Amino acid sequence: MRSPHEHVALLLLALTAPCVLSYSTISANNLYTALTLGFQSIVRPSDTTNVTLTLGIYAINYLDVHNQELSVSVWIQAGWTDGRYSWSPTDFSDIETMYLDADGSWDPRISVQNAHDQDAYTSSEQVFQVNSTGYVEMSSSGQFTIHCPVDVQYFPYDVQTCTLVITSSVYPSASVFFTGENADTSQLTGNDEWEITSHSVDSSDYDANATSSFSKVTYTLELTRLTSGALQGALMTPLLLSSFLGISTFLVPSEASGKLLVPLAILVAQALFINLLSEEIPFSGNPSPVIGTYLKALVAVSVVETVLTIFVVRIYHNKDRRKPMSRLLQRFTAFLTVVTCVGSNQDNSNSASTPTSESEIESNIETPNTTTTEVPEVVHTVNGAKNPIKRRLSLKTISPDHSFATSSKEDFRKAKRSRAWGDTGTLCGRGTDRKWTWEDMSRGFDRVFFVLFLLLRVILAAVYMTKIESGNSS
């Protein structure tokens, strides 16, 4: 049997237990008063306070390559130990966590050093979470626009490295030392143009002046441009295809009135393309973008092609075009024609139409006042059997007295040289007997320039793609 005093003690414990084991505003007010009474927020917790920083990244808002600005939405969490905030939870209804404003807590005066908008993060608007062990946490979210040096050398396969530097705007490193933890990207939302491929953190000191240094935490973000198939289709493919348009001017006949309009139109198109691209990337960067150098080279080549087109047109419309060319120019034109393997489609009045095969040459060697007479085909027999090989004799080479003209091997070789691949315009020239004209010279220059600038543009495109791919692989 319990004594009356024991019954009274149990009754009192039962009545007071709910108040001791549950939260109450009275206990919270008493705890707040105990923590803040006579508290000076400017006084540091210790001689050197170690502050742990954690950066969380919500989103990449944009990266302005012209102004070299990166806008990010982040939250920053700072934690440190302040022995003045420790208490026994059992003395205050088991309250283990308390929230204080800036007037009731010391803070390390955190700021983002390289942010353009320094007011985006202010400690005076923060709420501090304190637990019974004296550990204080301060966290806040915000949008920061930070300076980010941009390197567009390998655009559109460029990779940008941006840093976000967190430091104290008041306390030197001897009073407050920062230690950074890895960035948290678990809540990062996607961006259509950029993605974070890697990130790192580094804690160090920097000298603000000759007498003091400050602690800082540097978060380094590596951003890779998302080069999708749409970007390649909208930029790379038209760029490479349009780079070969310039040589089309040498395919336009010199007698065409619009021959000079082709290179001029291509120059205008390239200027518009450069203007549109300059809105996306700065061409004056250091190092300069490969695509900018490539476009400048294309413009220079197009200018040279325009000048050479004018040169070819001037040759075709030469004021002395009705006069015969000198022997030296004749040989030079013949050389151009042979080099480009393109002959004239126009028949020369001084050269006859001569077949290319030996049998046709032998059967078509003309003599003065020759006549053409049809004769029946001759069928040879061997041992009484008909030979399937049939011959059709043309008497184009028979003289008026019906005597067959003879043709030696030397005559055949001369005829073949004078022919020099025929006059269909598909092979090389028309021989040494051809009387070359200014029109032939202009056509020869067109073919030579076409081949040369085709090779030049192929080399430029190959060098450009090699440089871009090297930047992409690195």
Side-chain angles (χ1 to χ4, degrees):
M1 294 292 294
R2 290 188 177 91
S3 66
H5 297 286
E6 292 177 340
H7 284 286
V8 173
L10 291 174
L11 179 61
L12 292 175
L13 181 61
L15 292 175
T16 58
C19 297
V20 174
L21 299 177
S22 63
Y23 175 87
S24 69
T25 56
I26 297 176
S27 299
N29 286 331
N30 292 336
L31 177 58
Y32 181 82
T33 301
L35 294 176
T36 59
L37 183 61
F39 185 86
Q40 297 296 327
S41 60
I42 197 64
V43 179
R44 302 193 312 273
S46 59
D47 184 29
T48 300
T49 303
N50 293 318
V51 180
T52 302
L53 295 178
T54 302
L55 177 70
I57 305 176
Y58 289 132
I60 300 174
N61 301 319
Y62 64 84
L63 176 59
D64 188 344
V65 296
H66 284 279
N67 297 321
Q68 299 191 3
E69 294 179 346
L70 172 66
S71 176
V72 290
S73 296
V74 301
W75 56 268
I76 299 175
Q77 181 177 4
W80 64 92
T81 300
D82 192 337
R84 295 171 293 180
Y85 290 134
S86 61
W87 72 89
S88 176
T90 58
D91 295 337
F92 298 94
S93 300
D94 277 351
I95 298 177
E96 296 184 354
T97 302
M98 195 67 187
Y99 294 92
L100 306 175
D101 57 14
D103 294 333
S105 176
W106 173 88
D107 76 84
R109 298 295 193 270
I110 291 175
S111 65
V112 179
Q113 187 181 51
N114 59 338
H116 291 177
D117 43 357
Q118 289 292 342
D119 297 334
Y121 187 91
T122 56
S123 301
S124 61
E125 301 176 356
Q126 313 311 318
V127 175
F128 299 81
Q129 176 181 321
V130 185
N131 61 27
S132 59
T133 62
Y135 190 76
V136 184
E137 285 187 350
M138 176 187 68
S139 62
S140 178
S141 60
Q143 177 176 323
F144 297 95
T145 303
I146 61 177
H147 176 69
C148 178
V150 175
D151 181 7
V152 292
Q153 181 180 7
Y154 297 109
F155 175 87
Y157 301 100
D158 50 325
V159 177
Q160 308 301 333
T161 302
C162 304
T163 58
L164 189 145
V165 182
I166 302 175
T167 184
S168 174
S169 58
V170 176
Y171 301 103
S173 58
S175 301
V176 175
F177 184 79
F178 291 107
T179 302
E181 294 185 349
N182 288 330
D184 183 5
T185 58
S186 59
Q187 303 181 45
L188 177 63
T189 57
N191 184 275
D192 294 336
E193 188 176 5
W194 300 94
E195 67 173 348
I196 299 179
T197 53
S198 66
H199 55 83
S200 61
V201 60
D202 177 66
S203 302
S204 61
D205 292 347
Y206 73 96
D207 295 329
N209 49 57
T211 60
S212 60
S213 62
F214 288 77
S215 178
K216 68 176 181 179
V217 174
T218 304
Y219 285 94
T220 303
L221 307 177
E222 188 175 274
L223 307 178
T224 302
R225 189 186 297 271
L226 297 175
T227 308
S228 60
L231 178 61
Q232 293 181 355
L235 176 64
M236 304 302 295
T237 302
L239 174 62
L240 293 176
L241 293 179
S242 62
S243 65
F244 289 92
L245 282 178
I247 59 176
S248 61
T249 183
F250 299 116
L251 298 178
V252 180
S254 298
E255 59 268 22
S257 59
K259 184 178 178 67
L260 286 177
L261 297 179
V262 176
L264 295 178
I266 294 174
L267 275 175
V268 172
Q270 289 177 342
L272 290 176
F273 190 86
I274 293 176
N275 183 47
L276 293 175
L277 195 60
S278 63
E279 297 178 359
E280 188 70 21
I281 61 172
F283 283 168
S284 59
N286 187 20
S288 60
V290 177
I291 190 172
T293 306
Y294 178 58
L295 287 174
K296 293 175 184 177
L298 289 182
V299 171
V301 171
S302 297
V303 170
V304 175
E305 289 174 343
T306 303
V307 173
L308 292 179
T309 301
I310 297 175
F311 171 72
V312 170
V313 173
R314 287 294 302 270
I315 289 178
Y316 184 86
H317 295 285
N318 185 15
K319 63 180 181 179
D320 297 329
R321 59 194 300 249
R322 299 301 179 186
K323 298 180 180 179
M325 299 175 62
S326 65
R327 187 174 184 84
L328 180 61
L329 291 179
Q330 290 270 350
R331 291 180 178 180
F332 180 73
T333 305
F335 171 76
L336 287 179
T337 307
V338 172
V339 168
T340 57
C341 288
V342 177
S344 174
N345 290 329
Q346 299 177 356
D347 291 333
N348 188 355
S349 58
N350 296 328
S351 61
S353 176
T354 313
T356 58
S357 65
E358 183 175 356
S359 60
E360 291 177 339
I361 291 176
E362 290 179 343
S363 61
N364 288 328
I365 298 177
E366 297 186 6
T367 56
N369 300 325
T370 58
T371 60
T372 301
T373 306
E374 292 292 334
V375 295
E377 60 184 26
V378 179
V379 180
H380 295 273
T381 59
V382 179
N383 297 328
K386 290 185 177 181
N387 193 326
I389 301 177
K390 298 181 180 180
R391 274 187 167 180
R392 179 175 297 276
L393 298 179
S394 173
L395 297 187
K396 187 175 183 179
T397 58
I398 300 178
S399 59
D401 60 350
H402 298 283
S403 61
F404 285 92
T406 59
S407 176
S408 64
K409 291 184 178 180
E410 182 64 25
D411 294 335
F412 166 70
R413 283 193 291 267
K414 288 182 179 180
K416 196 170 184 179
R417 283 198 301 269
S418 65
R419 185 61 187 153
W421 296 89
D423 57 0
T424 59
T426 57
L427 293 173
C428 298
R430 300 183 64 177
T432 57
D433 296 337
R434 169 70 190 273
K435 299 299 182 182
W436 301 100
T437 63
W438 295 103
E439 291 84 349
D440 295 324
M441 179 181 287
S442 67
R443 280 190 288 270
F445 274 122
D446 269 337
R447 301 307 187 270
V448 170
F449 294 154
F450 176 83
V451 174
L452 290 180
F453 283 96
L454 175 62
L455 293 176
L456 179 59
R457 289 179 179 270
V458 169
I459 293 173
L460 288 177
V463 172
Y464 167 68
M465 293 303 298
T466 302
K467 293 285 292 183
I468 288 293
E469 289 299 329
S470 65
N472 184 27
S473 59
S474 61

